[in-house]
Amino acid sequence: MTDTRAATGAEVLFTRRGRLGVATLNRPKAVNALTAGMVEALLRQLTEWAGDDRIRTVLVQGAGGRGLCAGGDIVAIYRDMVEGGHATAAFWQAEYRLNYLISRYPKPYVALMDGLVLGGGVGISAHGSVRVVTERTRTGMPETTIGFAPDVGGTLLLAGAPGESGTHAALTGAHLDGADAIHLGLADHYVPSGRLDGLVAALGDGTPEDAVGRVAVDPPPSSLAAQRPWIDSCYSPAQAEEIVSRLRAWKGPGSSDAAQAADTIEAKSPTSVKVTLASLRRVRGMRLDQALAQEYRVGLRFLESPDFREGIRAQVIDKDRSPRWQPPTLPAVTPGQVEAFFASLGSAELDVTGSGVPPEVRQKEVRDRV
């Protein structure tokens, strides 16, 4: 049985297939980039499904065939920054609550990470319990390209990756394939894209374990895993300048890749690179709710920073790909400037564990912490 819960023109479509609840992001022309309305719709429906005994498993997928989700709607963020940034702050509050809800969801949450899965798309997939990639997957946290830093819990995810692989992914903003996503810990299963329809059908009347077991295959080798020797050596310092210096000095296997990574990092927003590195180092040992609170703190400061607006302008507004960063170099960004991004918000601190969390999720949280 399929129960359609939204008009076909809605930005998120909700359907029921047997005991499977399906959320389909439905902005295919924008590769399903998240809007505030989409986040609120997902929060409402996932909360409802958490307490619905007819739903055993939840699935999130993207319409249009180009990807699950290309991230947040950064054009809307740019327009809001011009007007003061208040709508963006509210959007992040809801989005981070959604990320937390997914991470604590009391039922299997299956994410089809097919095609592009960037930024906010990682937030609605990599916190799930069953994360599926394909040969078409291109994922990552490209925030340093637009003068921002990884959020949606991305700092915690990348900080927990093997060795310094997550640091490399965060600072360069690299697009990664499905095998690399599994290596980083952002995904669990590799399913050829031609088998996804069969997976969805099997989820309607079976367990996720059985359904995935029918269609998953071994992933190909991860190029990121093969690069661990130079990545772990070069990205271990606490200072971004030292990381770049080590990348340029690396003479072993992978020296050309290391040099290219140095070039890439130096083209990003210097402020973003340094704040991102500090975020990754600080987040280790935190819970997700604490990581999201830190990311919210940092995000609000980026709304006031010239680089965030300039990065979006250069990438998607004017599309000249020539951002003018302030300050323009890594050495010009002082420790004090970086530290200011992490200062307490006082009464405005974000708490994603509050009254908006469904009872089923709060019960799971209590059980897991005992």
Side-chain angles (χ1 to χ4, degrees):
M1 174 184 178
T2 299
D3 174 28
T4 302
R5 298 297 303 276
T8 55
E11 292 184 331
V12 188
L13 307 178
F14 298 105
T15 59
R16 183 165 59 86
R17 304 180 185 183
R19 300 194 66 183
L20 176 68
V22 181
T24 304
L25 308 188
N26 191 38
R27 295 185 69 213
K29 291 183 179 179
V31 199
N32 305 311
L34 291 172
T35 65
M38 294 168 75
V39 168
E40 293 291 352
L42 286 165
L43 272 171
R44 286 194 302 269
Q45 190 63 65
L46 290 179
T47 299
E48 179 182 323
W49 279 342
D52 187 343
D53 291 339
R54 297 174 301 170
I55 299 296
R56 178 170 53 195
T57 303
V58 168
L59 169 77
V60 62
Q61 62 183 0
R66 295 169 60 197
L68 170 64
C69 175
D73 187 342
I74 59 174
V75 174
I77 292 175
Y78 180 85
R79 291 170 179 163
D80 181 54
M81 276 194 283
V82 175
E83 299 173 0
H86 301 298
T88 298
F91 168 70
W92 285 337
Q93 291 171 17
E95 184 182 26
Y96 297 176
R97 289 190 175 97
L98 175 63
N99 303 147
Y100 185 74
L101 170 61
I102 291 168
S103 77
R104 316 300 299 179
Y105 209 64
K107 299 177 180 181
Y109 179 98
V110 182
L112 299 189
M113 302 171 69
D114 186 36
L116 281 179
V117 188
L118 304 175
V122 174
I124 62 166
S125 56
H127 295 301
S129 53
V130 183
R131 305 162 302 174
V132 175
V133 290
T134 76
E135 79 283 358
R136 302 188 303 198
T137 298
R138 292 296 179 271
T139 189
M141 304 294 291
E143 284 77 8
T144 55
T145 304
I146 57 169
F148 191 48
D151 67 337
V152 298
T155 57
L156 186 64
L157 291 166
L158 294 177
E164 295 292 339
S165 300
T167 309
H168 170 70
L171 298 191
T172 62
H175 285 197
L176 308 163
D177 63 21
D180 289 337
I182 292 175
H183 170 68
L184 285 171
L186 303 178
D188 312 295
H189 307 286
Y190 194 94
V191 175
S193 58
R195 299 185 181 183
L196 291 179
D197 287 345
L199 171 61
V200 175
L203 286 168
D205 55 16
T207 67
E209 294 78 12
D210 289 342
V212 170
R214 297 181 198 177
V215 295
V217 299
D218 291 334
S222 163
S223 60
L224 204 58
Q227 295 170 330
R228 281 283 303 279
W230 67 263
I231 286 176
D232 288 357
S233 176
C234 295
Y235 284 94
S236 60
Q239 300 299 323
E241 294 95 330
E242 177 62 20
I243 288 174
V244 171
S245 177
R246 288 197 183 189
L247 288 168
R248 296 207 182 281
W250 181 260
K251 300 304 182 185
S255 58
S256 61
D257 290 329
Q260 183 179 1
D263 290 341
T264 299
I265 291 170
E266 288 195 317
K268 307 299 183 184
S269 158
T271 300
S272 294
V273 168
K274 285 201 166 182
V275 172
T276 295
L277 182 59
S279 296
L280 293 173
R281 301 304 191 232
R282 287 168 177 257
V283 81
R284 290 172 176 167
M286 288 187 185
R287 302 186 306 267
L288 178 58
D289 59 301
Q290 296 169 324
L292 290 166
Q294 175 172 280
E295 291 170 351
Y296 181 69
R297 214 173 291 137
V298 166
L300 292 189
R301 273 48 187 262
F302 270 113
L303 289 178
E304 302 168 352
S305 165
D307 278 8
F308 193 16
R309 188 186 303 189
E310 173 64 8
I312 298 176
R313 179 207 64 76
Q315 290 296 318
V316 300
I317 304 299
D318 298 336
K319 299 182 180 179
D320 58 31
R321 306 294 194 273
S322 299
R324 295 178 291 274
W325 304 124
Q326 302 177 40
T329 65
L330 288 170
V333 182
T334 68
Q337 289 172 318
V338 174
E339 189 68 26
F341 278 79
F342 298 91
S344 172
L345 298 173
S347 61
E349 286 284 325
L350 179 66
D351 179 10
V352 296
T353 68
S355 59
V357 178
E360 293 82 1
V361 174
R362 290 200 296 273
Q363 291 164 8
K364 183 178 189 298
E365 187 175 86
V366 170
R367 290 197 300 271
D368 289 351
R369 290 190 183 182
V370 169

mmCIF file of all heavy atoms in Angstrom, residues 23-52:
data_model
loop_
_atom_site.group_PDB
_atom_site.id
_atom_site.type_symbol
_atom_site.label_atom_id
_atom_site.label_comp_id
_atom_site.label_asym_id
_atom_site.label_seq_id
_atom_site.Cartn_x
_atom_site.Cartn_y
_atom_site.Cartn_z
ATOM 1 N N ALA A 23 10.545 9.354 2.683
ATOM 2 C CA ALA A 23 10.654 10.806 2.520
ATOM 3 C C ALA A 23 11.492 11.069 1.280
ATOM 4 O O ALA A 23 12.656 10.658 1.221
ATOM 5 C CB ALA A 23 11.294 11.443 3.747
ATOM 6 N N THR A 24 10.900 11.739 0.297
ATOM 7 C CA THR A 24 11.600 12.036 -0.953
ATOM 8 C C THR A 24 11.804 13.540 -1.075
ATOM 9 O O THR A 24 10.831 14.299 -1.194
ATOM 10 C CB THR A 24 10.803 11.522 -2.170
ATOM 11 O OG1 THR A 24 10.556 10.123 -2.030
ATOM 12 C CG2 THR A 24 11.574 11.779 -3.457
ATOM 13 N N LEU A 25 13.052 13.978 -1.023
ATOM 14 C CA LEU A 25 13.346 15.391 -1.235
ATOM 15 C C LEU A 25 13.031 15.720 -2.687
ATOM 16 O O LEU A 25 13.477 15.015 -3.597
ATOM 17 C CB LEU A 25 14.810 15.691 -0.921
ATOM 18 C CG LEU A 25 15.334 15.229 0.447
ATOM 19 C CD1 LEU A 25 16.737 15.783 0.678
ATOM 20 C CD2 LEU A 25 14.414 15.650 1.574
ATOM 21 N N ASN A 26 12.288 16.816 -2.904
ATOM 22 C CA ASN A 26 11.672 17.025 -4.214
ATOM 23 C C ASN A 26 11.956 18.418 -4.785
ATOM 24 O O ASN A 26 11.047 19.139 -5.172
ATOM 25 C CB ASN A 26 10.152 16.786 -4.099
ATOM 26 C CG ASN A 26 9.478 16.724 -5.448
ATOM 27 O OD1 ASN A 26 10.040 16.182 -6.400
ATOM 28 N ND2 ASN A 26 8.276 17.273 -5.540
ATOM 29 N N ARG A 27 13.245 18.762 -4.818
ATOM 30 C CA ARG A 27 13.677 19.971 -5.543
ATOM 31 C C ARG A 27 14.762 19.550 -6.538
ATOM 32 O O ARG A 27 15.919 19.936 -6.429
ATOM 33 C CB ARG A 27 14.235 21.025 -4.587
ATOM 34 C CG ARG A 27 13.244 21.598 -3.598
ATOM 35 C CD ARG A 27 13.900 22.721 -2.799
ATOM 36 N NE ARG A 27 14.177 23.889 -3.627
ATOM 37 C CZ ARG A 27 15.226 24.707 -3.459
ATOM 38 N NH1 ARG A 27 16.126 24.465 -2.515
ATOM 39 N NH2 ARG A 27 15.397 25.761 -4.241
ATOM 40 N N PRO A 28 14.408 18.739 -7.523
ATOM 41 C CA PRO A 28 15.430 18.149 -8.396
ATOM 42 C C PRO A 28 16.264 19.165 -9.163
ATOM 43 O O PRO A 28 17.451 18.932 -9.404
ATOM 44 C CB PRO A 28 14.621 17.261 -9.345
ATOM 45 C CG PRO A 28 13.218 17.768 -9.268
ATOM 46 C CD PRO A 28 13.049 18.278 -7.875
ATOM 47 N N LYS A 29 15.684 20.315 -9.545
ATOM 48 C CA LYS A 29 16.469 21.311 -10.282
ATOM 49 C C LYS A 29 17.584 21.900 -9.440
ATOM 50 O O LYS A 29 18.598 22.350 -9.970
ATOM 51 C CB LYS A 29 15.547 22.419 -10.795
ATOM 52 C CG LYS A 29 14.594 21.969 -11.889
ATOM 53 C CD LYS A 29 13.757 23.128 -12.396
ATOM 54 C CE LYS A 29 12.820 22.676 -13.504
ATOM 55 N NZ LYS A 29 11.976 23.793 -14.007
ATOM 56 N N ALA A 30 17.391 21.896 -8.109
ATOM 57 C CA ALA A 30 18.411 22.397 -7.182
ATOM 58 C C ALA A 30 19.160 21.255 -6.514
ATOM 59 O O ALA A 30 19.802 21.442 -5.482
ATOM 60 C CB ALA A 30 17.764 23.286 -6.123
ATOM 61 N N VAL A 31 19.106 20.055 -7.109
ATOM 62 C CA VAL A 31 19.667 18.835 -6.524
ATOM 63 C C VAL A 31 19.211 18.714 -5.072
ATOM 64 O O VAL A 31 19.973 18.367 -4.169
ATOM 65 C CB VAL A 31 21.204 18.775 -6.631
ATOM 66 C CG1 VAL A 31 21.694 17.330 -6.442
ATOM 67 C CG2 VAL A 31 21.691 19.284 -7.964
ATOM 68 N N ASN A 32 17.928 19.056 -4.858
ATOM 69 C CA ASN A 32 17.255 18.869 -3.573
ATOM 70 C C ASN A 32 17.910 19.617 -2.416
ATOM 71 O O ASN A 32 17.899 19.154 -1.271
ATOM 72 C CB ASN A 32 17.157 17.369 -3.255
ATOM 73 C CG ASN A 32 16.487 16.595 -4.371
ATOM 74 O OD1 ASN A 32 15.420 16.977 -4.849
ATOM 75 N ND2 ASN A 32 17.112 15.529 -4.832
ATOM 76 N N ALA A 33 18.471 20.799 -2.722
ATOM 77 C CA ALA A 33 19.049 21.634 -1.666
ATOM 78 C C ALA A 33 17.974 21.966 -0.642
ATOM 79 O O ALA A 33 16.823 22.261 -0.976
ATOM 80 C CB ALA A 33 19.626 22.917 -2.268
ATOM 81 N N LEU A 34 18.359 21.930 0.638
ATOM 82 C CA LEU A 34 17.409 22.059 1.732
ATOM 83 C C LEU A 34 16.965 23.500 1.941
ATOM 84 O O LEU A 34 17.789 24.412 2.031
ATOM 85 C CB LEU A 34 18.013 21.541 3.031
ATOM 86 C CG LEU A 34 18.262 20.040 3.135
ATOM 87 C CD1 LEU A 34 19.045 19.737 4.409
ATOM 88 C CD2 LEU A 34 16.955 19.268 3.107
ATOM 89 N N THR A 35 15.657 23.693 2.052
ATOM 90 C CA THR A 35 15.078 24.968 2.465
ATOM 91 C C THR A 35 14.539 24.831 3.883
ATOM 92 O O THR A 35 14.417 23.721 4.421
ATOM 93 C CB THR A 35 13.925 25.370 1.536
ATOM 94 O OG1 THR A 35 12.855 24.410 1.693
ATOM 95 C CG2 THR A 35 14.361 25.396 0.076
ATOM 96 N N ALA A 36 14.189 25.971 4.478
ATOM 97 C CA ALA A 36 13.604 25.930 5.823
ATOM 98 C C ALA A 36 12.324 25.119 5.834
ATOM 99 O O ALA A 36 12.063 24.351 6.772
ATOM 100 C CB ALA A 36 13.349 27.351 6.314
ATOM 101 N N GLY A 37 11.508 25.261 4.801
ATOM 102 C CA GLY A 37 10.263 24.506 4.730
ATOM 103 C C GLY A 37 10.487 23.009 4.669
ATOM 104 O O GLY A 37 9.736 22.230 5.274
ATOM 105 N N MET A 38 11.519 22.582 3.946
ATOM 106 C CA MET A 38 11.825 21.154 3.869
ATOM 107 C C MET A 38 12.252 20.607 5.220
ATOM 108 O O MET A 38 11.848 19.507 5.626
ATOM 109 C CB MET A 38 12.924 20.919 2.826
ATOM 110 C CG MET A 38 12.506 21.248 1.405
ATOM 111 S SD MET A 38 13.914 21.292 0.270
ATOM 112 C CE MET A 38 14.271 19.541 0.077
ATOM 113 N N VAL A 39 13.082 21.361 5.920
ATOM 114 C CA VAL A 39 13.543 20.922 7.239
ATOM 115 C C VAL A 39 12.373 20.797 8.204
ATOM 116 O O VAL A 39 12.260 19.802 8.935
ATOM 117 C CB VAL A 39 14.605 21.891 7.781
ATOM 118 C CG1 VAL A 39 14.882 21.634 9.251
ATOM 119 C CG2 VAL A 39 15.885 21.770 6.970
ATOM 120 N N GLU A 40 11.494 21.789 8.211
ATOM 121 C CA GLU A 40 10.337 21.738 9.105
ATOM 122 C C GLU A 40 9.421 20.572 8.755
ATOM 123 O O GLU A 40 8.899 19.890 9.642
ATOM 124 C CB GLU A 40 9.562 23.062 9.027
ATOM 125 C CG GLU A 40 10.311 24.263 9.577
ATOM 126 C CD GLU A 40 10.491 24.222 11.091
ATOM 127 O OE1 GLU A 40 9.896 23.332 11.744
ATOM 128 O OE2 GLU A 40 11.234 25.067 11.615
ATOM 129 N N ALA A 41 9.242 20.311 7.465
ATOM 130 C CA ALA A 41 8.395 19.189 7.042
ATOM 131 C C ALA A 41 8.996 17.860 7.482
ATOM 132 O O ALA A 41 8.281 16.965 7.965
ATOM 133 C CB ALA A 41 8.206 19.214 5.524
ATOM 134 N N LEU A 42 10.300 17.711 7.335
ATOM 135 C CA LEU A 42 10.961 16.481 7.766
ATOM 136 C C LEU A 42 10.873 16.304 9.271
ATOM 137 O O LEU A 42 10.617 15.196 9.769
ATOM 138 C CB LEU A 42 12.422 16.498 7.321
ATOM 139 C CG LEU A 42 12.672 16.255 5.828
ATOM 140 C CD1 LEU A 42 14.085 16.666 5.448
ATOM 141 C CD2 LEU A 42 12.426 14.789 5.469
ATOM 142 N N LEU A 43 11.064 17.376 10.019
ATOM 143 C CA LEU A 43 10.940 17.292 11.474
ATOM 144 C C LEU A 43 9.547 16.815 11.875
ATOM 145 O O LEU A 43 9.405 15.936 12.733
ATOM 146 C CB LEU A 43 11.225 18.653 12.100
ATOM 147 C CG LEU A 43 12.679 18.986 12.439
ATOM 148 C CD1 LEU A 43 12.810 20.454 12.837
ATOM 149 C CD2 LEU A 43 13.201 18.093 13.562
ATOM 150 N N ARG A 44 8.526 17.402 11.289
ATOM 151 C CA ARG A 44 7.143 17.018 11.640
ATOM 152 C C ARG A 44 6.869 15.560 11.313
ATOM 153 O O ARG A 44 6.331 14.808 12.135
ATOM 154 C CB ARG A 44 6.143 17.922 10.909
ATOM 155 C CG ARG A 44 6.032 19.328 11.448
ATOM 156 C CD ARG A 44 4.800 20.025 10.884
ATOM 157 N NE ARG A 44 4.826 20.080 9.433
ATOM 158 C CZ ARG A 44 5.351 21.090 8.718
ATOM 159 N NH1 ARG A 44 5.926 22.109 9.346
ATOM 160 N NH2 ARG A 44 5.322 21.070 7.407
ATOM 161 N N GLN A 45 7.229 15.145 10.073
ATOM 162 C CA GLN A 45 6.869 13.802 9.648
ATOM 163 C C GLN A 45 7.682 12.733 10.369
ATOM 164 O O GLN A 45 7.145 11.690 10.757
ATOM 165 C CB GLN A 45 7.059 13.666 8.143
ATOM 166 C CG GLN A 45 6.486 12.377 7.570
ATOM 167 C CD GLN A 45 4.978 12.282 7.749
ATOM 168 O OE1 GLN A 45 4.236 13.079 7.184
ATOM 169 N NE2 GLN A 45 4.517 11.311 8.522
ATOM 170 N N LEU A 46 8.965 12.966 10.565
ATOM 171 C CA LEU A 46 9.772 11.990 11.282
ATOM 172 C C LEU A 46 9.320 11.858 12.729
ATOM 173 O O LEU A 46 9.338 10.759 13.299
ATOM 174 C CB LEU A 46 11.254 12.377 11.224
ATOM 175 C CG LEU A 46 11.947 12.248 9.872
ATOM 176 C CD1 LEU A 46 13.401 12.683 9.971
ATOM 177 C CD2 LEU A 46 11.846 10.825 9.332
ATOM 178 N N THR A 47 8.909 12.973 13.324
ATOM 179 C CA THR A 47 8.371 12.917 14.683
ATOM 180 C C THR A 47 7.099 12.083 14.723
ATOM 181 O O THR A 47 6.901 11.254 15.622
ATOM 182 C CB THR A 47 8.095 14.337 15.197
ATOM 183 O OG1 THR A 47 9.320 15.080 15.232
ATOM 184 C CG2 THR A 47 7.496 14.304 16.598
ATOM 185 N N GLU A 48 6.236 12.274 13.722
ATOM 186 C CA GLU A 48 4.993 11.493 13.662
ATOM 187 C C GLU A 48 5.291 10.018 13.451
ATOM 188 O O GLU A 48 4.734 9.153 14.132
ATOM 189 C CB GLU A 48 4.104 12.016 12.533
ATOM 190 C CG GLU A 48 2.799 11.248 12.374
ATOM 191 C CD GLU A 48 1.950 11.763 11.216
ATOM 192 O OE1 GLU A 48 1.934 12.994 11.007
ATOM 193 O OE2 GLU A 48 1.316 10.942 10.524
ATOM 194 N N TRP A 49 6.177 9.705 12.522
ATOM 195 C CA TRP A 49 6.499 8.313 12.237
ATOM 196 C C TRP A 49 7.192 7.619 13.411
ATOM 197 O O TRP A 49 7.074 6.401 13.567
ATOM 198 C CB TRP A 49 7.384 8.228 10.996
ATOM 199 C CG TRP A 49 6.602 8.307 9.702
ATOM 200 C CD1 TRP A 49 5.260 8.109 9.538
ATOM 201 C CD2 TRP A 49 7.127 8.603 8.409
ATOM 202 N NE1 TRP A 49 4.914 8.259 8.214
ATOM 203 C CE2 TRP A 49 6.040 8.555 7.496
ATOM 204 C CE3 TRP A 49 8.396 8.904 7.924
ATOM 205 C CZ2 TRP A 49 6.202 8.797 6.139
ATOM 206 C CZ3 TRP A 49 8.562 9.136 6.564
ATOM 207 C CH2 TRP A 49 7.482 9.087 5.682
ATOM 208 N N ALA A 50 7.921 8.377 14.228
ATOM 209 C CA ALA A 50 8.589 7.770 15.379
ATOM 210 C C ALA A 50 7.594 7.081 16.304
ATOM 211 O O ALA A 50 7.912 6.063 16.928
ATOM 212 C CB ALA A 50 9.379 8.830 16.150
ATOM 213 N N GLY A 51 6.375 7.601 16.397
ATOM 214 C CA GLY A 51 5.356 7.029 17.271
ATOM 215 C C GLY A 51 4.274 6.256 16.543
ATOM 216 O O GLY A 51 3.263 5.886 17.150
ATOM 217 N N ASP A 52 4.448 6.002 15.241
ATOM 218 C CA ASP A 52 3.438 5.315 14.431
ATOM 219 C C ASP A 52 3.804 3.837 14.322
ATOM 220 O O ASP A 52 4.794 3.474 13.671
ATOM 221 C CB ASP A 52 3.391 5.960 13.042
ATOM 222 C CG ASP A 52 2.250 5.425 12.175
ATOM 223 O OD1 ASP A 52 1.703 4.338 12.503
ATOM 224 O OD2 ASP A 52 1.913 6.079 11.178
#
